[in-house]
Each structure stands twice: as C-alpha cells, then as structure tokens.
Amino acid sequence: MEKVRVRFAPSPTGPLHLGGVRTALYDYLFAKNQGGEFVLRIEDTDTARYVEGAEEYIEEALEWCGIIADESPKKGGKFAPYRQSERRDIYDRYTEQILKTDYAYIAFDTAEELDATRAEYEAKGDVFSYDNKTRNQLRNSLALSEEEVKKLLDEKTPYVVRFKMPVDRTLNLEDIIRGKFSVNTNTLDDKVLVKNDGMPTYHFANIIDDHEMEISHVIRGEEWLPSLGLHTLLYEAMGWEAPQFAHLSLILKPDVSTLINKENIDSITKSFSEEFVTKNSEFSFDESAELIKSFFSEVKSPRFKSMLGENEKDNALTAAVKQFLKKGLSGKLSKRDGDKFGFPVFPLNFTDYATGNVSKGYRESGYLPEAFINMVALLGWSPADDKEILSLEEMAKEFDLNKVHKAGARFSKEKAEWFNHQYIQQKSDEELLEILKSSDFNTTLSDEKLLKIISLMKERLTFVKDLTLDNEKGKFFFEAPVSYDEKAAKKAWNDQTSVILGELASDLENTEFIAENLKQAVHDFAEKKSLGMGKVMMPLRLSLVGELKGPDVPDIMELLGKEETISRINNAINNF
Ligand code: GLU
C-alpha cells in the first residue's frame, strides 16, 4: 500500500482562523491515524495578498496546538523547499511540459482588454467568462495565427498560461466525505495556470507540489470543492495519478440567541450599526442603531427568525436592516464575528502590522491548548460512543474521515468554555500554579497558599486567570473587597451586625488560624451570643468576599490569615 502523506497548505495571507486550525488538525489526525506523514507547505505565490508575519504566526499556532509537522519550511525534509516561492524552477519545468499538451495555451490579453470585454458583456446583461465558448475571439495562441503568436513572443509581449478546458465532458468526481458527483466541463472556465510574471497560480502550483511531494490525501476546506474538476483534469493533463480528496464543511456562526445578553447588547449593537452604516451610507447611525437594538432585544424570542422576514410594509431602513441582520447572524463564521460577539476566532493573538489591529487569540484568552484542539476537533467530527474529552493521541487513534459530517458545524462559545473547564479539572494544582505564575499576575502570597487557593477554587474555574479577576472565582483571596454586593448586604447585615462582628473579631484575636479551629470558634461565639450560625456566618462572608459566594468561610479565613481577616471585618463594620 502506498504511504499516506497529508499536507496542510495555508497561504500566508493573514492569521490562521478556526477553520484553518481544524483543517490542519484533521490533516494531522488522519495522517497519524494511518501511520503516515504530515507536511506543512506554505503557498505564497500570491504576492499581492502576502501578509508579513503570517507564516511565522501559522507555525507558532500549530506548535501551540501540538500539531507538529514531519516536514515543513522550518524543519525541512525530503521534498524541500516547502515554501512555494522557492520552487520556481520546478514549476517552470512543468509549465513547459503542460504547454506541449493540448491542455494549455498562452494568452496575451491585457487586464485592460479583459476589463473592457467584461464591461461589454455586462452592458448586454451577460457575464463574461474566459472559456471554451469565448476563447476563440480573444488574443491567445488558439485564436491567433502561428505568425502572430511568434511575433508577439519575439516582441516580448507578456502572456499568461491558461488551462484549455475540454468541451462538454462529464467529469465523475469523488470526495471521501461527500461521495460521488459529476460536473460538466462546459460550466468551467479556462483558469490561469501561470501568471505573466512566470509564477504559477494556486491551482497549478498546488497540483504540482501535491504530486512532487507524494501527497496521497488532500483534506481541505469546502471552498475548494468547485476546483476539484479543474484539479482532476490537471492531473490528467500531466499524466499523473490524482490523490484522494476530502472537503471539510464550513464552521458556522454560533446561535446568536446565546450570545446577546443585557450586558453586551449595547456593544454588539454598536459594532453591527457601524458596519451597517458603512455599507448603507444613506442611513444615519442613530436611527439604524435604534432599530438594530430593537431587533436584538427580541433575539431570545421564538419569533425572532420570522421577525427578520421580508414585509411589503417595511420602509427602506427596515428592509435594509433585516437583510443585513439575516446575513450577519447566520452562515459562515467570519473573522469579524470574534470581535463582534466577544470570542476569539484565532488560535493566538495576531497583530496586523499594517493597521496595528490586534485580533484576539485563544491562547491569550486563557484557553489550554489541549482544550482548544479538543473543541476544534469536535466541530464536525463525532468520535465513537459520543466521547467528548480526548487527547491528541486519542483523537489520532480514533479519527475517521468517514465520520466527518457533511453539514456545517456550529461553533459554540459555551462549549469552548466547557472544554477549558474540563481540562482545568484534569490539571494538577501544581500545573495550574505554573500557569498562574507564567501570566503577568503578581502576588506576594507563598506558593503554599496559592496551591491551597487553587485547590479550593479549581472546580469553579473556566480560566486560570478567573482566579485573579473574578470575585466569585477567587479574586477576593488577593484583594480585599472594595464594595459589597447590595442584595447580599440587605440580606446579611442589620442594625446589630456591626456590634456582633466587632465582638467576634476580638474573640478571633486569640484563635489559631486553622480552618477547623476557626469553625469551632465561630460556632462557640454564636452559641455564647445565642445567635443562629447564619447571623454570624453571612456577614462574616460578606466582609471577606464582598458577596455571599465562595468556598467555606473557615477555609477563606485560614488562607487570608488573622490580620487580613480582622482588617476586612473592620472595613465592613466601617462601611455599614
Ligand atoms: N493555499 C490554499 C489555501 O490556503 C490551500 C488549499 C488546498 O489545501 O488545496 O486555502
């Protein structure tokens, strides 16, 4: 059997997004599952779309995910170079080869000429396509005489190489995920294979490299499915055996009703409205925002979808807003959705050098790489027995392209957070301490105390950093409360409370600060004063935490220590 070799072939046109990470992950899992090799190839022939830093970003992101290539630009390998811009001589050789076949021709049409032709077609209500119906009226080696072509070449007229799409052939294609389907070549155009600077386009370079690098399986995004006919014919033209193909479905936007809430409705309205008025400049920001917000406030209603339906009575603004929201709230997860809805769509932070814009990454948002890739893997693939928590090795063992879903996979922010929570529970307290210490958080607390805090709070954590940011999750261990939850205060504090807590504080002066003793001391105090435990515990908790939440009060007291505990009680007394 031939060796399984799979490649991930990103173009360095920007940061890798969730869809790209998933493609790389499935490429990797399939290769490992089959005992094969996983190759990283950088497809950088499109210099116009090249983004500085994108290649380094892709390498770093894959490393963070643990998706390690057997061959790559950095690592090298048997088929080096792995950057297309460095493979020009290989492409030149094959350009010559394909021009000797009946599958390619050269074309001299300039961009201006093609624009003019396009405009002519448009004026007649047609759409221009450079294909087997039009190629004979254009300036190429099929339409011009041999002498004319020779003259143009002698004059060094720039030209491109185009694929000569056969006339009226039915192509029977096969995709591992989607099965068999056919395409008629009359629906396909004569794609440019080599640009006028001599560089191949994606299509040509891609099949040459897949052949040269002995790729056995091409697993890539659904957006490349329409190119499968052309690619299949390119293999035929070159006389090569084609690899097998699998096209992955899209990742879809999350269900917006789970994303928009009272806290973020204004900021989400603002970003949607800004985008809306840039696209529809005839409307004012304020009236657009008002309308958009009114729709968003109904987002949890079962009628929401039908509210966005067209209605004859709608004025221009309403009709435009409805159309805009329908598009913006469903379909493919876009790079901008992250900013709008407040979740990352990139594995790592990405700084666009040109604009200085920073896009948020999963790593910097506090996700563990294990949790992140586990979440990504399950966007479109179901392991056996509906298992959900799997390590990279376990995923590789189980991965099966036949179990990859045909339908789009809906991203869910809650699910992503759920995975992180699960993986935090699997980490030892020591590992979590390391994570905490590697963040930019500073504390004077000893490791011993930090470990105790972690062990007390772990089960409540979605992110390790919550420990220092969120009162409910442990921030109060590091900072005395600066305010007290109003509802909690009403419940916990009455006219006598200050006196009671003052007396308790002086009893505590003589207590050893160990949770067990403290529990006993509070108990004894309550009994001595003939008070219910709640009358003492609740205001005590409020003084220490600022709310009526958190782990057992004696545990909190032990960790805070005598001085801090008494100082917080006094703060509360002064406050109320
Ligand atoms: N360079 C292409 C991309 O970035 C690769 C597509 C493929 O895998 O064939 O999407």
Side-chain angles (χ1 to χ4, degrees):
M1 225 179 75
E2 71 164 0
K3 181 117 186 120
V4 166
R5 288 180 49 83
V6 189
R7 88 307 192 266
F8 176 53
S11 302
T13 52
L16 210 55
H17 53 92
L18 273 180
V21 175
R22 188 190 55 174
T23 301
L25 181 59
Y26 285 8
D27 283 329
Y28 172 89
L29 294 177
F30 180 73
K32 296 300 142 191
N33 178 271
Q34 302 284 308
E37 277 141 11
F38 170 65
V39 178
L40 172 66
R41 180 174 75 225
I42 298 293
E43 302 209 321
D44 56 351
T45 58
D46 191 349
T47 44
R49 294 184 59 220
Y50 182 81
V51 170
E52 185 75 36
E55 180 183 326
E56 292 74 14
Y57 178 96
I58 291 167
E59 292 237 10
E60 193 184 341
L62 294 180
E63 259 167 51
W64 180 68
C65 294
I67 306 173
I68 308 299
D70 300 302
E71 297 159 32
S72 72
K74 229 163 94 184
K75 212 179 212 171
K78 197 159 112 194
F79 300 98
Y82 292 91
R83 218 175 263 119
Q84 288 188 327
S85 56
E86 294 162 16
R87 299 172 63 79
R88 175 73 188 264
D89 51 334
I90 302 172
Y91 306 133
D92 284 351
R93 220 167 57 227
Y94 289 122
T95 302
E96 224 172 278
Q97 183 181 326
I98 200 166
L99 278 171
K100 290 196 186 116
T101 71
D102 193 28
Y103 286 94
Y105 61 94
I106 59 177
F108 300 97
D109 320 82
T110 61
E112 294 73 33
E113 286 166 353
L114 291 175
D115 282 346
T117 312
R118 226 166 272 130
E120 265 172 47
Y121 273 69
E122 250 169 55
K124 288 184 289 181
D126 279 342
V127 180
F128 170 68
S129 160
Y130 207 122
D131 59 21
N132 60 36
K133 289 173 287 300
T134 60
R135 64 168 83 113
N136 286 328
Q137 293 110 55
L138 294 153
R139 287 213 309 141
N140 56 55
S141 58
L142 300 174
L144 303 170
S145 71
E146 239 172 81
E147 294 78 61
E148 280 172 304
V149 172
K150 189 172 176 305
K151 186 166 169 267
L152 286 168
L153 288 177
D154 287 345
E155 287 164 358
K156 301 252 174 303
T157 315
Y159 64 85
V160 301
V161 177
R162 283 187 181 269
F163 188 71
K164 188 178 159 201
M165 190 53 74
V167 180
D168 196 21
R169 249 183 72 185
T170 301
L171 304 174
N172 296 312
L173 307 175
E174 188 163 356
D175 177 280
I176 299 174
I177 297 168
R178 284 142 215 278
K180 294 187 168 140
F181 61 101
S182 46
V183 175
N184 187 287
T185 53
N186 284 356
T187 64
L188 304 174
D189 60 351
D190 290 357
K191 283 270 181 289
V192 173
L193 299 179
V194 183
K195 291 173 276 186
N196 63 17
D197 61 0
M199 257 328 226
T201 56
Y202 154 73
H203 300 291
F204 198 39
N206 186 268
I207 68 113
I208 291 172
D209 287 343
D210 282 348
H211 169 74
E212 283 267 314
M213 295 181 179
E214 295 175 10
I215 297 304
S216 63
H217 292 77
V218 169
I219 305 168
R220 61 184 172 193
E222 180 179 83
E223 65 274 25
W224 297 108
L225 194 59
S227 303
L228 187 55
L230 169 65
H231 292 184
T232 303
L233 286 169
L234 278 170
Y235 282 103
E236 178 183 298
M238 303 303 286
W240 298 334
E241 196 192 326
Q244 292 189 59
F245 291 92
H247 290 86
L248 307 173
S249 61
L250 297 173
I251 297 181
L252 304 173
K253 279 188 221 298
D255 175 357
V256 282
S257 69
T258 64
L259 293 176
I260 300 177
N261 54 42
K262 266 196 243 116
E263 282 77 54
N264 63 19
I265 187 166
D266 286 322
S267 71
I268 295 184
T269 300
K270 183 164 171 270
S271 49
F272 269 83
S273 309
E274 276 164 2
E275 194 182 332
F276 177 76
V277 293
T278 3
K279 288 183 180 155
N280 301 274
S281 53
E282 64 271 37
F283 303 114
S284 84
F285 178 85
D286 288 345
E287 61 172 351
S288 309
E290 193 184 333
L291 184 60
I292 288 175
K293 186 169 174 181
S294 75
F295 277 116
F296 282 164
S297 48
E298 293 290 335
V299 78
K300 295 206 163 52
S301 141
R303 291 179 306 129
F304 181 66
K305 263 217 180 98
S306 60
M307 287 173 63
L308 293 182
E310 273 169 48
N311 189 327
E312 280 169 19
K313 284 181 234 140
D314 288 342
N315 62 24
L317 173 66
T318 309
V321 161
K322 280 182 175 181
Q323 216 186 8
F324 171 74
L325 289 183
K326 259 198 287 191
K327 236 184 120 205
L329 299 178
S330 62
K332 187 179 174 218
L333 180 70
S334 85
K335 297 186 184 180
R336 290 213 47 218
D337 288 333
D339 300 332
K340 284 197 266 192
F341 294 115
F343 58 80
V345 284
F346 302 109
L348 320 177
N349 273 10
F350 181 76
T351 311
D352 188 324
Y353 292 122
T355 62
N357 277 350
V358 181
S359 312
K360 247 195 159 334
Y362 277 84
R363 180 178 66 185
E364 291 77 5
S365 305
Y367 281 84
L368 301 171
E370 305 91 308
F372 172 64
I373 51 162
N374 196 158
M375 178 277 287
V376 171
L378 268 56
L379 285 172
W381 166 54
S382 313
D385 310 324
D386 290 328
K387 233 185 287 157
E388 288 195 289
I389 301 291
L390 295 96
S391 68
L392 193 61
E393 292 70 38
E394 287 167 327
M395 291 196 265
K397 217 182 259 169
E398 282 211 26
F399 189 74
D400 183 355
L401 274 179
N402 294 309
K403 295 220 174 78
V404 170
H405 309 164
K406 250 185 265 180
R410 192 169 299 287
F411 173 79
S412 156
K413 184 185 177 204
E414 289 98 274
K415 197 72 196 188
E417 291 177 351
W418 178 86
F419 273 108
N420 212 52
H421 171 80
Q422 294 296 321
Y423 275 90
I424 284 186
Q425 307 318 304
Q426 289 190 9
K427 292 259 180 221
S428 68
D429 297 346
E430 287 74 17
E431 284 172 310
L432 296 177
L433 177 62
E434 278 316 304
I435 296 174
L436 183 65
K437 286 168 86 175
S438 67
S439 69
D440 49 17
F441 173 68
N442 282 319
T443 177
T444 50
L445 295 188
S446 67
D447 283 4
E448 196 194 345
K449 277 212 167 149
L450 291 171
L451 283 170
K452 277 195 190 149
I453 295 172
I454 289 170
S455 112
L456 269 181
M457 303 310 294
K458 189 166 160 178
E459 65 189 44
R460 297 163 204 249
L461 295 181
T462 301
F463 301 105
V464 174
K465 63 175 182 199
D466 286 350
L467 201 58
T468 62
L469 296 177
D470 185 333
N471 237 356
E472 197 179 329
K473 294 177 178 171
K475 183 181 167 198
F476 61 87
F477 281 118
F478 306 98
E479 270 173 49
V482 282
S483 63
Y484 302 89
D485 183 68
E486 244 176 76
K487 255 203 203 145
K490 255 200 199 120
K491 200 165 154 201
W493 212 280
N494 61 30
D495 297 345
Q496 288 103 54
T497 309
S498 291
V499 177
I500 295 171
L501 281 203
E503 287 174 10
L504 174 68
S506 60
D507 272 20
L508 290 176
E509 290 283 4
N510 307 314
T511 310
E512 197 186 351
F513 262 58
I514 296 173
E516 235 172 87
N517 295 358
L518 289 162
K519 193 172 171 190
Q520 193 61 47
V522 177
H523 196 267
D524 292 348
F525 175 81
E527 211 170 60
K528 186 170 79 184
K529 299 281 167 193
S530 313
L531 291 165
M533 273 298 263
K535 282 262 180 304
V536 187
M537 267 317 179
M538 265 205 292
L540 185 51
R541 180 184 288 281
L542 185 69
S543 319
L544 303 178
V545 179
E547 335 178 7
L548 295 179
K549 289 174 180 157
D552 286 347
V553 173
D555 287 327
I556 301 177
M557 292 163 81
E558 177 183 327
L559 272 164
L560 291 177
K562 188 180 287 184
E563 203 181 317
E564 181 66 15
T565 300
I566 292 175
S567 135
R568 288 192 190 186
I569 293 174
N570 289 331
N571 280 350
I573 293 174
N574 289 337
N575 178 76
F576 290 110

